[in-house]
Amino acid sequence: MSLRKKVFLYILVTILFLILLMSLTSNFLAMKAFEGVERRFFEQDMARVRSRLAEELHIVGRYAFDWGAWDSMYLFMERKEPSRFQEMLDPMSLRALGLDILAVVDTDLSPVVAYSVTETGGEKKLSPEIIAGLKALAPDLLKAASDGYLRDILLLGDDLYLAGVSPILLTNHMGPSRGFLLTGSALKKKIPEIAASLGTRFSVVPAPGAAPAEGSVEITTDSSGMATVRQRWQKFLDQAPPLEIRLTEPREIYTEGRRAIFHSYLWIFLSGGGILLVVMVLMDSLVLRRLDSLRSVSDRIVSGGGIGIRVPVSGDDEISVLSSSFNTLLDTLENLVAEIPDPLFICDPDGRILTANREAHRVLALGKPGELSGKDVSSILKPAENPKETGEDSRTGVIFSSADMFEATFERRDGTCLPVEIRRQEIRYGKRTLVLLLARDLTERKGFEQRLARKAYFDDLTGLPNRSAFIEDLNRALKERNGFGEVLCAATLNLDRFKLVNEQVGNVNGDRILLLIGRRIEETIGEDARLYRTGGDEFSILTPMPAPPRLREKAENLMENIHKAVGVPCPVGSDTIFPSVSIGVVPDIFRCASPSDVVNRAHQALKEAKKAGLGFTSFHYGDNDGSVPETVNILRLSAEMHAGMERGEFVPFFQPIYFADSGAISGFETLARWMHPSRGLLPPSEFIPMAEHTGFVGKIDLKMMEHALRAAGILRRRNPLAPPFFSSNGSPLFFRMPFAEEILENFLAKTGADPSLFTLEVTESLLIENLGEVSRKLNRLKELGIRIALDDFGTGYSSLQYINQLPFDYVKLDKSFVARLFESEKDERLLRTIIHMAGELRLEVIAEGVETQEQLEWLTRAGCAKVQGYLFSRPVPWEDVKRMMGGEESL
């Protein structure tokens, strides 16, 4: 066992022995002392409780003692007239004195007067149980009263009373006794008052069989740190059941004592650990480290012949003198090789470095000389040739092959590499054969070769892989195709009209646009895909895709996202370029025979996309060259929407909103439909997403608002007493229009509609964009008399801040709330809370998506005033609204 381990074990055993000794001595004695102090405190608390109970009994007993000596009470017992007793004592007086029970018993042991006092000072007959208990104790009470008045805690019925008993005598307590008088206060009422004043929790209960002996205090504890203190109550009546007082108190003294002892153990352990650490550090630094250093140098000299190592020398003790002798032997030999200007290494036949000169350390960016000694040369020097071609030994590396000059690479500590040319020469060192290596820097030559290689496979402008890399990756993918349920999709992208862009903004700005579009495409396709620049304005993509049937959907979604990313305008000085891209896609390259087949099919699909117009994607799904690609229209839908708006193809449909309780129509929500000339009536899901992407949705919003205001005006003239309101949606793009409020104000003037009958619905996504600007515009619309509703409440960014700051009149519960209504009690509570909250904020609530009678009944009970959904009606054209409400005018 080493000296370090021995010292460590000796000190550790000493510390453990001290802790064990403390636990056997001080722990036992200290805890006994703490328990003794704790017991005295508990006994003092018990004495204070007994003293206070005795004071209360004295007060109650004095009442009985005084009243029993009244002459009027003595005469009452002679005649026993109830009216005379009321003149002496009434319940209201007893309540004022804090008494709860009064009983007068004659010498025949029959109760003459017996009642309890209510909280309001009324008289209440005693229960049969209390009467029975009183009669059972009457003989003993009469006997005790004949000896003087009695004060004790009595059990009457199920309750304990602080009771005072006195014989009924003449004034000055003379004459024969005519019975006794009992007064009492309910103990259960007095205990909280006494406990609060003393600061001690206690109770008085019937004593069990194992009750403590009279006068002794018994203390029991539990694991929760609480103590129960018990003492038997001294009774005066033999027939009365035994009672005991119980105190429940925390063991604060005992707990603090245990904590203090634990801290003392901890400090002893820490102090011992500190001593152990100091001793170990001193021994290590003064003796062991220096001995290890000397031994290490000796072993390395004997086994490896290293000449650059030294033993640190400090002081003038015996170890220092020995170290100086070692160092003197090595200085002369090391100076012979230190000044060679090229990196030089001396290694043993196994590749271990024995000596390296200063230049070797500088080239390898090592701080101090001698740092390389003892390392395997293969850890810093890697061969540049195939070992099989040079016949190297697999264990030692190419440097020990038959070649005397070869190329290799230095690996520096910071991770950088330095190409070198190595000259090798065997030398004799005593009886050993060593190898000398002399290195020459090849950084400049290798850098030139790497620049040539990168130029062959990467694009200079964008830094993306080029066409050659694309072909290489295709070839590798076709050879290494996997069977994990995925395919590899290839796409070729060509920027539309990029020649015109270059002519407009110049080649320099054109290159900047290419860089920007390349970054956008890279961010869109994700990390699993790879982007290539395969031409001047052409990019290519390789990306994994799920196998059919999900292949088509995923591929089309990715290409649509690329169109959106590329289509974002590019500001160039004072100009703005609106780029677009045509895409040819081969969804599954594994259907192709070769990389050239993939490229040909992608270009064939790209040609079909170019024929269709700008911004198209064409997919090549066929298994042969003659298959016809499919083209997905991206820009045509935008053009058709503009033309459709001019031709009036966007028409309003109205979904009725009903009163939940009566079923009468309250209003209508105006929804957009597109009467497409070739595809028929299109729902919003077919064109609204594209309209939002192109910014066209704001114009659709304006058109629907105009229809809603015109409809509100028509039905108001038809039904002036109860006209329905009309609502319409306002998208974020509508609110970004510069003069949105002025346009709506113009519509109001143009249609003559009552603004209070028009409600503008805004979604929660609008509120997070620019709350200050949105608030200003909504308040302006509110000043015009327009009502504001928060649509799809609860699906996005719902916040009480928005509801509090913005002038909303309605909240519309999203149909997803109603659909999940009966899935769990949590959903019901959430929806009921929202409805209640809206009511407290004086906001009307409209529930969307009501489809069943059960949903309607629940919403009605919850307080939702208005509903809409397929249970009542789907969105209908204006002709159906006229039939519902009456009227002949058209929109």
Side-chain angles (χ1 to χ4, degrees):
M1 183 182 293
S2 66
L3 180 60
R4 182 184 289 106
K5 291 182 179 179
K6 287 181 178 179
V7 173
F8 178 84
L9 288 177
Y10 290 156
I11 297 178
L12 182 62
V13 169
T14 301
I15 293 173
L16 294 177
F17 176 77
L18 289 176
I19 293 176
L20 179 62
L21 185 63
M22 279 193 62
S23 65
L24 295 176
T25 56
S26 62
N27 181 33
F28 176 80
L29 297 176
M31 292 313 300
K32 282 296 183 182
F34 282 122
E35 289 176 356
V37 173
E38 182 183 66
R39 182 176 184 86
R40 287 194 295 274
F41 272 95
F42 289 161
E43 289 175 349
Q44 290 176 5
D45 289 343
M46 178 62 76
R48 290 191 299 120
V49 171
R50 292 183 63 89
S51 175
R52 183 61 183 274
L53 289 175
E55 292 176 7
E56 295 294 334
L57 283 172
H58 177 74
I59 294 172
V60 174
R62 288 300 304 178
Y63 292 145
F65 180 79
D66 292 338
W67 297 342
W70 286 357
D71 291 340
S72 56
M73 185 66 70
Y74 194 84
L75 294 176
F76 165 75
M77 292 301 293
E78 179 181 359
R79 301 178 182 177
K80 299 178 182 178
E81 295 176 359
S83 59
R84 291 185 60 83
F85 189 86
Q86 288 292 334
E87 293 175 359
M88 292 184 293
L89 294 173
D90 61 276
M92 189 64 71
S93 301
L94 298 179
R95 171 51 55 210
L97 296 173
L99 298 177
D100 297 294
I101 189 172
L102 177 68
V104 178
V105 181
D106 60 12
T107 53
D108 296 331
L109 305 181
S110 297
V112 179
V113 176
Y115 62 83
S116 62
V117 182
T118 65
E119 292 295 330
T120 58
E123 179 180 322
K124 182 180 177 182
K125 290 183 178 181
L126 297 179
S127 64
E129 291 80 7
I130 296 178
I131 293 295
L134 183 61
K135 288 184 177 181
L137 294 174
D140 290 339
L141 292 175
L142 184 61
K143 181 177 182 302
S146 63
D147 298 331
Y149 78 96
L150 171 71
R151 294 165 295 175
D152 200 358
I153 299 174
L154 301 181
L155 178 63
L156 299 177
D158 296 329
D159 295 324
L160 293 170
Y161 290 85
L162 297 169
V165 180
S166 175
I168 299 175
L169 303 170
L170 290 173
T171 303
N172 296 325
H173 299 278
M174 303 295 292
S177 172
R178 290 187 174 179
F180 66 90
L181 183 145
L182 181 145
T183 59
S185 296
L187 187 60
K188 64 182 179 181
K189 295 181 181 179
K190 287 290 185 179
I191 285 179
E193 177 186 340
I194 298 172
S197 63
L198 297 178
T200 302
R201 292 188 300 170
F202 73 98
S203 60
V204 179
V205 296
E214 190 167 331
S216 65
V217 177
E218 181 177 296
I219 301 173
T220 58
T221 61
D222 56 26
S223 59
S224 64
M226 299 297 292
T228 301
V229 184
R230 302 165 56 201
Q231 186 175 29
R232 185 185 292 271
W233 176 258
Q234 182 180 0
K235 63 178 182 176
F236 295 90
L237 297 179
D238 295 334
Q239 299 299 321
L243 303 175
E244 69 177 21
I245 302 173
R246 291 185 184 178
L247 277 65
T248 303
E249 295 192 297
R251 305 188 66 191
E252 295 177 351
I253 297 176
Y254 181 83
T255 303
E256 288 298 322
R258 288 186 61 87
R259 185 178 292 112
I261 291 177
F262 173 79
H263 288 166
S264 66
Y265 287 172
L266 179 62
W267 280 112
I268 290 176
F269 184 82
L270 292 177
S271 300
I275 295 172
L276 175 62
L277 179 62
V278 171
V279 172
M280 295 301 297
V281 169
L282 291 175
M283 184 182 69
D284 189 79
S285 61
L286 296 179
V287 180
L288 296 179
R289 188 180 302 170
R290 297 169 67 190
L291 291 177
D292 289 342
S293 177
L294 182 60
R295 184 186 62 187
S296 174
V297 171
S298 176
D299 292 342
R300 289 165 65 185
I301 291 174
V302 172
S303 62
I307 61 174
I309 54 177
R310 295 292 183 274
V311 179
V313 178
S314 61
D316 54 358
D317 55 9
E318 293 80 0
I319 298 177
S320 299
V321 173
L322 181 62
S323 300
S324 298
S325 299
F326 270 92
N327 293 340
T328 303
L329 293 174
L330 299 174
D331 286 340
T332 303
L333 181 60
E334 184 182 18
N335 290 333
L336 295 176
V337 297
E339 301 302 326
I340 297 176
D342 290 328
L344 180 141
F345 302 88
I346 298 176
C347 307
D348 66 11
D350 293 328
R352 186 165 58 91
I353 299 174
L354 303 178
T355 300
N357 67 351
R358 294 191 185 96
E359 185 64 15
H361 286 81
R362 187 194 67 78
V363 168
L364 292 172
L366 300 175
K368 53 185 179 180
E371 194 169 348
L372 287 171
S373 299
K375 290 187 176 180
D376 194 329
V377 72
S378 61
S379 66
I380 61 170
L381 191 64
K382 302 297 180 182
E385 299 180 5
N386 191 324
K388 294 181 179 179
E389 296 177 357
T390 59
E392 71 150 345
D393 181 78
S394 59
R395 180 172 63 86
T396 59
V398 71
I399 59 174
F400 302 113
S401 66
S402 59
D404 291 332
M405 188 169 64
F406 54 89
E407 291 185 4
T409 301
F410 279 150
E411 290 189 355
R412 295 189 176 105
R413 176 178 292 176
D414 59 4
T416 59
C417 294
L418 177 70
V420 292
E421 182 181 72
I422 300 295
R423 291 181 179 271
R424 173 184 177 274
Q425 181 66 46
E426 291 186 356
I427 60 174
R428 301 292 298 177
Y429 184 76
K431 296 182 179 181
R432 304 180 61 191
T433 299
L434 302 180
V435 178
L436 184 145
L437 302 174
L438 195 63
R440 188 178 67 178
D441 189 357
L442 297 180
T443 301
E444 184 176 353
R445 191 179 81 182
K446 290 298 181 181
F448 179 72
E449 292 174 354
Q450 289 176 359
R451 289 193 295 273
L452 289 179
R454 179 169 181 84
K455 192 172 182 64
Y457 285 97
F458 287 88
D459 177 55
D460 291 335
L461 175 63
T462 62
L464 295 171
N466 60 12
R467 185 178 185 83
S468 299
F470 181 54
I471 299 300
E472 288 278 346
D473 289 348
L474 282 175
N475 189 48
R476 187 182 304 108
L478 291 173
K479 289 181 180 179
E480 302 174 357
R481 59 182 301 172
N482 61 64
F484 299 109
E486 285 190 343
V487 299
L488 200 60
C489 172
T492 299
L493 300 78
N494 186 263
L495 298 177
D496 297 324
R497 305 166 300 181
F498 198 72
K499 182 178 180 181
L500 297 177
V501 173
N502 272 331
E503 292 176 357
Q504 179 181 346
V505 301
N507 290 332
V508 174
N509 288 327
D511 290 344
R512 293 174 180 171
I513 293 174
L514 278 175
L515 286 170
L516 178 60
I517 291 176
R519 286 197 296 269
R520 291 177 180 177
I521 297 174
E522 274 193 304
E523 293 172 356
T524 302
I525 62 179
E527 296 180 356
D528 294 335
R530 195 177 190 192
L531 178 65
Y532 309 81
R533 188 187 180 199
T534 51
D537 56 358
E538 180 182 285
F539 296 89
S540 295
I541 296 173
L542 277 179
T543 180
M545 287 285 177
R550 298 180 60 220
L551 170 60
R552 182 182 186 123
E553 176 189 356
K554 289 292 184 180
E556 290 181 356
N557 288 341
L558 177 60
M559 299 310 145
E560 182 179 352
N561 290 336
I562 292 174
H563 278 293
K564 293 179 180 179
V566 173
V568 176
C570 300
V572 181
S574 59
D575 295 329
T576 300
I577 302 302
F578 296 86
S580 63
V581 65
S582 298
I583 308 176
V585 185
V586 180
D588 186 1
I589 69 169
F590 298 137
R591 294 185 178 185
C592 302
S594 64
S596 60
D597 191 14
V598 176
V599 174
N600 290 338
R601 294 191 185 197
H603 279 89
Q604 182 183 354
L606 180 61
K607 290 179 182 178
E608 294 294 330
K610 288 286 189 181
K611 290 178 183 178
L614 304 179
F616 280 77
T617 299
S618 181
F619 291 86
H620 198 299
Y621 284 102
D623 293 328
N624 54 68
D625 293 339
S627 60
V628 179
E630 296 180 23
T631 302
V632 177
N633 195 329
I634 301 298
L635 299 181
R636 180 179 299 172
L637 186 61
S638 178
E640 288 179 349
M641 283 192 292
H642 283 83
M645 180 63 71
E646 295 176 0
R647 293 193 295 265
E649 294 173 2
F650 290 90
V651 297
F653 269 52
F654 304 89
Q655 187 172 24
I657 299 172
Y658 293 83
F659 288 103
D661 52 356
S662 65
I665 293 178
S666 174
F668 295 87
E669 181 179 3
T670 309
L671 304 168
R673 297 291 187 270
W674 187 4
M675 190 64 70
H676 195 277
S678 60
R679 298 167 63 189
L681 186 66
L682 299 181
S685 59
E686 293 289 329
F687 60 89
I688 289 296
M690 182 57 65
E692 290 176 342
H693 175 64
T694 60
F696 192 74
V697 71
K699 295 182 179 180
I700 297 176
D701 289 343
L702 286 174
K703 194 66 176 178
M704 294 304 107
M705 291 177 193
E706 185 178 7
H707 283 306
L709 288 169
R710 188 170 285 118
I714 292 172
L715 292 187
R716 181 174 179 270
R717 290 191 293 272
R718 182 67 180 174
N719 303 287
L721 296 180
F725 73 90
F726 282 78
S727 66
S728 183
N729 291 301
S731 66
L733 289 172
F734 163 77
F735 277 89
R736 284 202 289 267
M737 291 181 175
F739 306 102
E741 314 98 293
E742 288 78 1
I743 295 173
L744 262 179
E745 187 175 6
N746 183 49
F747 282 168
L748 287 169
K750 180 179 176 181
T751 59
D754 184 352
S756 65
L757 296 178
F758 176 68
T759 299
L760 181 63
E761 298 183 6
V762 298
T763 59
E764 296 175 16
S765 60
L766 167 68
L767 306 180
I768 64 168
E769 295 187 354
N770 188 343
L771 183 60
E773 182 66 13
V774 171
S775 176
R776 184 190 66 78
K777 291 187 176 183
L778 290 180
N779 282 307
R780 171 64 180 137
L781 295 176
K782 189 71 175 178
E783 292 172 1
L784 296 176
I786 295 173
R787 310 191 78 185
I788 311 297
L790 179 57
D791 196 15
D792 298 336
F793 180 76
T795 61
Y797 312 90
S798 300
S799 171
L800 293 179
Q801 176 189 4
Y802 300 146
I803 298 177
N804 183 49
Q805 293 184 5
L806 299 177
F808 291 122
D809 301 289
Y810 294 86
V811 290
K812 298 192 72 175
L813 301 178
D814 187 73
K815 60 183 179 181
S816 61
F817 274 119
V818 179
R820 299 194 311 268
L821 181 56
F822 301 112
E823 291 182 4
S824 67
E825 293 183 2
K826 184 178 180 181
D827 289 328
E828 292 186 40
R829 290 195 298 269
L830 175 60
L831 191 54
R832 187 180 291 109
T833 300
I834 293 173
I835 295 172
H836 177 72
M837 178 198 70
E840 290 294 324
L841 297 175
R842 299 183 179 178
L843 299 176
E844 293 190 49
V845 179
I846 300 176
E848 296 177 302
V850 179
E851 297 182 359
T852 65
Q853 186 64 31
E854 292 78 8
Q855 293 171 347
L856 174 62
E857 293 173 357
W858 189 95
L859 290 166
T860 303
R861 290 194 303 270
C864 181
K866 298 177 182 180
V867 293
Q868 70 181 100
Y870 288 172
L871 176 64
F872 305 97
S873 173
R874 293 176 178 269
V876 296
W878 173 247
E879 288 72 21
D880 291 347
V881 175
K882 289 192 295 184
R883 283 194 294 271
M884 291 179 183
M885 305 301 296
E888 298 299 330
E889 296 184 53
S890 62
L891 292 176

